[in-house]
Amino acid sequence: MKIRTGFGYDVHQLQEGLPFWLGGIQVPHTHGALGHSDADVLIHVICDALLGAANLRDIGFHFPDTDPQYKGIDSKRLLAEVMRLLGERGYTVSNIDSTICLEAPKVNPHIAEMQRVLAEVMGIEENDISIKATTTEKLGFVGRREGVAAYASVLIVQP
């Protein structure tokens, strides 16, 4: 059995008036993340961690922001494609551990729904997806509410 780990990190600027997609759901807020796709920072770090674990480069390689077909795309579609790529190589996801860094809005009330949506897209158990949230105690761009950051580590296996 081959066991591999992967790590992902991403940031997005927050901008007033945009929808805020996080973990595959739209979270009510006055600001949303700015990006070429729907800018779902949590899905992006999970994709990067999974791709890295399988040595398949990164999300920008597979879904470049210079390609108009990805403009405004639902990041759940990107995640589904990443899962397809892993499946082609015989990998399955053992677990995901992620952290979202954000001052507002509060993420905790939305975590169970994010887990449900992500598990459905990925074809894994909700219990295999850990989502945590923290602030940066008003420090840096996250603390000034200018952006959102996220981290993820994953474990994939190939029997």
Side-chain angles (χ1 to χ4, degrees), residues 8-110:
Y9 169 73
D10 195 19
V11 299
H12 282 280
Q13 181 181 356
L14 293 175
Q15 189 172 75
E16 190 172 2
L18 293 177
F20 191 30
W21 289 95
L22 191 60
I25 67 169
Q26 190 169 351
V27 175
H29 193 48
T30 58
H31 290 66
L34 181 63
H36 185 70
S37 66
D38 65 6
D40 188 323
V41 69
L42 182 58
I43 289 181
H44 293 181
V45 297
I46 291 171
C47 286
D48 262 349
L50 292 168
L51 290 166
N55 196 21
L56 292 172
R57 301 196 54 175
D58 61 31
I59 193 171
F61 176 80
H62 292 276
F63 315 108
D65 64 5
T66 55
D67 190 331
Q69 74 175 314
Y70 301 118
K71 179 70 176 161
I73 194 168
D74 182 338
S75 291
K76 292 186 293 290
R77 292 180 54 198
L78 306 180
L79 181 57
E81 176 63 12
V82 168
M83 292 301 294
R84 187 191 67 74
L85 291 170
L86 263 62
E88 280 182 351
R89 286 153 183 83
Y91 289 108
T92 59
V93 176
S94 177
N95 75 297
I96 297 166
D97 184 26
S98 63
T99 302
I100 302 162
C101 301
L102 184 66
E103 291 293 323
K106 292 295 183 191
V107 174
N108 191 49
H110 307 286

